[in-house]
Amino acid sequence: MENRFGLKDLIMTSLFIVLIVSVWLNMKQRDRQRDELQDMKQSLGEQATELTRIRKMLESGARVAQAPGLEIPNASELDPTDPFTRIRHSHQAEDYAVGGWLINVFGQTVGKITPIVDTDAYQSKIEGHVVESLAVRDPDSLQFQPWIAKSWEISDDGKTFTFDLRTDVSFSDGEVLTARDVVYTFELTMNPEIAAPSRQSYYATIHRVFQVGDHRVVFEMKEPYFKGFEMCAGLGILPEHFYSRFTPDQFNKEPGLLFGSGPYRIQEPEQWKPGTGVIELLRNENYWGPRPTFDRIVYREITDETARLVTFTNGDLDVFAPSPEQYQKLKDDERVDHLATWYEYETITGGYRYVGWNQMRQGKVTRFADRRVRQALTMLTNRKEMCQRLMVGLATVTSGPFHRLGNQANPSIEPWPYDAARARALLKESGFEDRDGDGVIEDPDLQPFLVKLIYPASSTNYQQMALYLKDAFARAGVVLEPDPLEWNVMLQRINQRDFDAITLGWSGVIESDPYQIFHSSQIEDGGHNYISYTNTELDELIERARYTPSETARMKMWHRCHQILHEDQPYTFLFTRRAVTLANKRLKNVHLVKLGINSDMEWYVPLTLQKWSSN
Amino acid sequence: MLTYIVRRLLLLIPTLLGVTAVVFFIMALSPGAYEGLNLNMEGAQSEGEEARRIRQHFIRRYGLDLPVMVQYGRWLNQISPIGFRMSSQVQFSDSQKSQASTILDSSTVLTEDPAIRRALDATLSIAAYLEEEPDRTARRLADVVEEPERGFDLLAQMDSDVDETFRQEFLKAREADLHEASSHMLDQLSFEAATKNRILFTSPTVKWPDLGTSLRGRPVTELLLEAVPVTLLLNAISIPIIYVVAILAGIFAARYRGRWFDISSGIVFLGLWSIPVMWVGVMLIGFLANEEFIRWFPTAGLHDLKAQQMPFLPRAPESGFERGWLLDTVWHLILPVICLTYGGFAVMAKLTRASLLENMAADYVRTARAKGVSDHDVLFRHVLHNSLLPLITVLVGILPAMFAGTVIIETIFSISGMGKLGVEAAFMKDRELVMGTTLIGGSIGLCAELVRDVWYAMADPRVSYE
């Protein structure tokens, strides 16, 4: 065999070199095209900014012409119906500057941002910047304040809401928002071919929506449900001219069709793809309100807890919510104190944790049907200690399903105390005592008191809670067996009502409707009263309260509901969570309001601290 | 050889059927409900109204109310290139649509524009489902709005059981207000028509295989097309690294058997192999991407936040060095690739070493040495060539792994690849997504085996399939 460099080898080598060179040249070429495209985009962006500036100048010029000598009013003097009072106020700070990016983080990959279909908490955060509704709740007073609607009327029977829309609202492509878009949004949501079963059942009490002229919409309800107004006012308005281009099938499948009148926009909704690790919202240069502060709002998706923390301490995230374990570690870290400000707060929407006692298992009444047993189990649970030790102080004991900061909660109710002696006495009264001296209490038929507690297996926090309860109950002779389940299996067990006890949490809303969870009609047919709890007085009260439009009268009824639930203890209500957020110090005007932290529309970064920019 | 390949290819079909059937039946028979989607951010239950409606929606979409065997048949029909159409795939011509819409227009009850449009949509879905001409269905639907009780017959014809409470409520409403009742009935009919999707057994056609829709409503094909390139990129970098390093180390370990290189490489590789990747990943981020210690690498993702605006290639204008998109990606890939590679060296290196040593003890090596062939030539000309067989076996075993990601590494470094997609799908009981990954993973695995067998024959003249 001769090892000579032959003609064949020469040809092969030169072909190979030619190939590599051409790939390289191709890359170069692409690079140049990219540069040109960037330049074009940049100049287009500059032109758009310039246009906006000119438009603003013209607008202010026009105003001056109408009322010469008009001065910029102070924040306190601003029109209370102006939706942007708070935002305008923040713009008056001395170091206020437009620009910079706001960088948030999600702990999960967001699969879809198209509104209406399959919405979750992540999606609604994004949607909140892009789509706007008719009215929004003021974060301090919790009252609705006008937004796209400038005013509204509610009929005396509470069944008809008439909204008058502002005439100056436009979508991010400049098209004017009219009553037609509101009607269209409702029709789109209710279209049975749109895969939005949960939204459709949420809006099922709306009978119809119609427009009167271009800027007035009427919502007619089937019944005077107390949440009716919130439902209508909160409908995020979608533009007909954009969405009508898509068939229902496309709408169901496309991941990024998010387009609206909000201060930020998605760059190319039709091209949007999930899984890139970032979701970028660009400023809507056509925004009808004051110019949005940030050039971009970015949501990074960082799925690992440690990676999230390190990214934050590196200064690459502006807002970060540590886990309870991280909170304990970071609390005394000087580096973090230097970098960021801590915000600890409770909010009505934080929800609560509970242990539910199943009163009817597969057609048989269980021992939890006895109120005294439930009360005793609650008194065996040292909830204060739980909040301190398990939740590292980030929780407060709750006495019922209504959050103590909201108006629904009855302020005169104190949570059941931790009182093991009284609990034991109550258990004895209802027939449970240790009859054979083995330290476990039995009923008269010598059946030991054994509880299997189901909870989601994926969460260590629930695991700790279950073990804590096991320990606490053992002291009174009640045997609790933790039974962790995979989420889907747990849902199936819930649907079949096949468990003794369950611990989970409910998320909160500003005024919640106990009907879904505690009304006896929700026991059957997969409803959320899966502990089969029945109380006729409560049923009646809930039914009445739901259709009482007057807020003061309704609150009195909710207070009574709270009282009944406290005495009945269908759940052992555990605690409400305290939230912790760290905000990088470069963000200004971040402060607490009744609903938690104020809206990021009010935040800004002074010019000297801006480190990200679009170019 | 050719007949062998053809025979093997034909055998692929029943094997794949078996693989998918096992996975499908395990999925279908495992316990668990379908509302796992309605979790909010904190993992608490959302205040969901009517979980029933959501369940119904999924039942219809995936035909969950059918027997499991039939469900599997339905899925096979969906992925097969020759098969029956589903009722949702029926398209009507514009003239048929306008004909139906004129009939509906003439009804006295459907006065509002959205009601007519909804009625038309329902008409087309019902017509497709019942395999009728749209104008006939339109006439029936026009009757339904005039006299909504007729809707019950139509519902029965579509094999929907009518909820007794709905019937009661409906009959009450009927007395009160015709308009209300017809819109009620129209709602019910359109819901039934839109969500039911069944096989039309009349006309087998040639069609594109369809991997179906994931629980969150996105086509499985699209989800795979997003995740596969990411995983391929990671594996295409790390697998060659593993191979080059491990084979070289194995050769040298065999050549200098018992000397310091052999022993130390063995210890180091085994040591690396035993460190859990979860720990390494977190440590790498905690120490090499942390301002407090060394910040050489990014913490998450595959691209910088500003990657979109970067030029493709690195360059150094006056203002300083710009790393460009390409280098930025490489920079982001370093930590994940370290995690993917370090554990793989041990197996390959040991395998190479053992196989080489075995051959070096063979008679022909002694003969070659006796002839005076240099050590170098013996090793690289004779021994290495003969030691390739086991390496081919392992290499082919890794080909399907190119397609499968690793959920741990993807989670730690916030990369959306096949690992996370597959594991999340299994947890969510996202049936069509799991089946999609199984089908593709399975076919790649089986093809790889075929390639391996052919390769054997090429590498070793002793192997023959004639």
Side-chain angles (χ1 to χ4, degrees), chain A residues 555-569:
Chain A
M555 286 308 157
K556 273 203 189 103
M557 296 182 206
W558 291 142
H559 287 179
R560 177 73 194 127
C561 286
H562 189 169
Q563 181 76 37
I564 295 173
L565 287 168
H566 170 69
E567 276 157 21
D568 274 356
Q569 287 289 306

Side-chain angles (χ1 to χ4, degrees), chain B residues 36-111:
Chain B
L37 281 179
N38 307 311
L39 282 177
N40 72 8
M41 214 154 159
E42 272 78 41
Q45 297 147 282
S46 54
E47 193 149 11
E49 266 114 339
E50 290 204 12
R52 197 167 58 96
R53 193 165 173 144
I54 299 168
R55 212 174 314 143
Q56 216 179 1
H57 183 86
F58 286 128
I59 287 175
R60 297 284 168 70
R61 197 201 281 171
Y62 296 119
L64 297 175
D65 49 346
L66 304 168
V68 185
M69 262 328 276
V70 183
Q71 288 178 37
Y72 181 56
R74 191 181 133 121
W75 181 78
L76 283 181
N77 177 56
Q78 198 177 297
I79 57 151
S80 135
I82 301 163
F84 301 103
R85 285 183 311 169
M86 305 295 284
S87 55
S88 65
Q89 289 166 331
V90 178
Q91 298 283 325
F92 291 108
S93 67
D94 283 342
S95 68
Q96 279 174 311
K97 278 186 204 166
S98 69
Q99 222 178 342
S101 125
T102 357
I103 294 170
L104 291 170
D105 265 337
S106 60
S107 131
T108 49
V109 184
L110 294 171
T111 44

Side-chain angles (χ1 to χ4, degrees), chain A residues 80 160 235:
Chain A
T160 312
L235 185 73

Side-chain angles (χ1 to χ4, degrees), chain A residues 357-369 450-454 483 493 496-501 530-532:
Chain A
W357 309 107
N358 191 5
Q359 303 189 19
M360 179 89 78
R361 184 169 183 171
Q362 293 170 319
K364 268 185 273 172
V365 176
T366 67
R367 49 181 63 123
F368 303 112
L450 193 117
V451 196
K452 262 195 171 182
L453 178 75
I454 63 171
D483 185 8
R493 293 274 288 272
Q496 295 168 349
R497 278 84 173 111
D498 184 16
F499 60 94
D500 291 333
Y530 38 71
I531 50 163
S532 301

Side-chain angles (χ1 to χ4, degrees), chain A residues 1 3 24 27-28 30-31 34-35 38 101 103 106 108-109 111-112 117-123 125 180 184 187 190-198 200-202 204 207-208 222 225 227 240 248 252-255 273-278 280 296 298 300-304 306-307 310-311 313-316 335 354 462 486-489 491-492 494-495 504-509 512-514 516-517 525-526 528 530 611-615, chain B residues 30-55 57-58 61 112-114 117-118 121-122 125 163 177 179-180 183-184 186-187 190-192 194-195 210 213 215-219 222-223 226 230 282 285-286 289-292 295 297-315 325-326 332 381 410-416 420 424 426-429:
Chain A
M1 197 191 292
N3 246 343
W24 177 256
M27 272 156 65
K28 269 281 186 213
R30 263 195 60 183
D31 213 26
R34 205 186 171 97
D35 274 356
Q38 286 292 338
W101 295 10
I103 302 177
F106 284 151
Q108 208 179 314
T109 314
K112 218 171 180 182
V117 285
D118 280 336
T119 52
D120 62 15
Y122 301 99
Q123 190 275 341
K125 274 213 164 175
R180 177 65 213 142
Y184 173 77
E187 281 168 14
M190 299 312 276
N191 183 345
E193 297 203 33
I194 298 291
S198 58
Q200 285 165 357
S201 60
Y202 179 67
H207 172 52
R208 66 189 186 125
K222 289 181 184 152
Y225 182 37
K227 286 191 143 188
E240 181 179 25
N252 289 340
K253 286 180 175 165
E254 287 287 331
K273 288 270 173 262
T276 54
V278 267
E280 282 183 328
R296 280 177 198 205
V298 178
R300 295 186 63 178
E301 300 165 330
I302 304 183
T303 44
D304 184 67
T306 316
V310 171
T311 316
T313 53
N314 283 350
D316 288 346
R335 212 158 65 93
Y354 62 86
Y462 279 115
E486 193 250 320
W487 181 255
N488 283 315
V489 179
L491 284 176
Q492 196 183 32
I494 290 176
N495 285 338
L504 265 183
W506 285 112
S507 62
V509 286
S512 69
D513 184 356
Q516 306 290 334
I517 306 176
D525 215 15
H528 280 325
Y530 38 71
K611 58 176 178 178
W612 302 90
S613 70
S614 300
N615 297 307
Chain B
S30 68
Y34 262 88
E35 298 88 331
L37 281 179
N38 307 311
L39 282 177
N40 72 8
M41 214 154 159
E42 272 78 41
Q45 297 147 282
S46 54
E47 193 149 11
E49 266 114 339
E50 290 204 12
R52 197 167 58 96
R53 193 165 173 144
I54 299 168
R55 212 174 314 143
H57 183 86
F58 286 128
R61 197 201 281 171
E112 291 162 53
D113 178 46
R117 256 188 294 154
R118 208 176 337 146
D121 287 342
S125 307
D163 193 347
D177 181 5
H179 190 89
E180 172 106 340
S183 93
H184 226 106
L186 208 57
D187 272 346
S190 355
F191 176 72
E192 294 289 336
T195 51
D210 178 11
T213 321
L215 270 189
R216 296 212 63 168
R218 296 198 60 207
E222 248 181 56
L223 288 171
E226 277 160 24
V230 174
V282 172
I285 289 181
N290 195 339
E291 191 86 58
E292 205 178 348
R295 195 180 163 191
F297 299 103
T299 48
L302 284 182
H303 304 290
D304 195 76
L305 277 184
K306 289 170 134 190
Q308 287 296 317
Q309 289 132 23
M310 285 180 184
F312 186 69
L313 295 169
R315 60 174 68 173
W325 192 88
L326 189 68
H332 278 79
R381 282 249 173 114
E410 281 170 19
T411 310
I412 292 176
F413 294 101
S414 311
I415 299 167
S416 305
K420 251 200 297 192
E424 271 167 23
F427 273 122
M428 299 259 259
K429 286 193 65 142

Side-chain angles (χ1 to χ4, degrees), chain B residues 369-429:
Chain B
R369 284 228 173 95
K371 278 199 313 191
V373 181
S374 73
D375 263 6
H376 184 270
D377 280 358
V378 170
L379 185 65
F380 288 99
R381 282 249 173 114
H382 302 290
V383 178
L384 191 60
H385 194 81
N386 282 323
S387 313
L388 279 179
L389 276 191
L391 294 187
I392 291 175
T393 316
V394 179
L395 177 68
V396 170
I398 280 176
L399 276 184
M402 292 275 281
F403 176 77
T406 42
V407 66
I408 297 174
I409 292 169
E410 281 170 19
T411 310
I412 292 176
F413 294 101
S414 311
I415 299 167
S416 305
M418 287 300 294
K420 251 200 297 192
L421 188 74
V423 170
E424 271 167 23
F427 273 122
M428 299 259 259
K429 286 193 65 142

Side-chain angles (χ1 to χ4, degrees), chain A residues 221-263:
Chain A
M221 310 295 291
K222 289 181 184 152
E223 47 205 24
Y225 182 37
F226 78 95
K227 286 191 143 188
F229 184 77
E230 191 179 337
M231 240 180 238
C232 303
L235 185 73
I237 309 305
L238 306 176
E240 181 179 25
H241 67 271
F242 178 80
Y243 284 99
S244 56
R245 292 202 311 239
F246 305 98
T247 64
D249 193 48
Q250 277 173 317
F251 186 82
N252 289 340
K253 286 180 175 165
E254 287 287 331
L257 297 181
L258 185 59
F259 192 91
S261 61

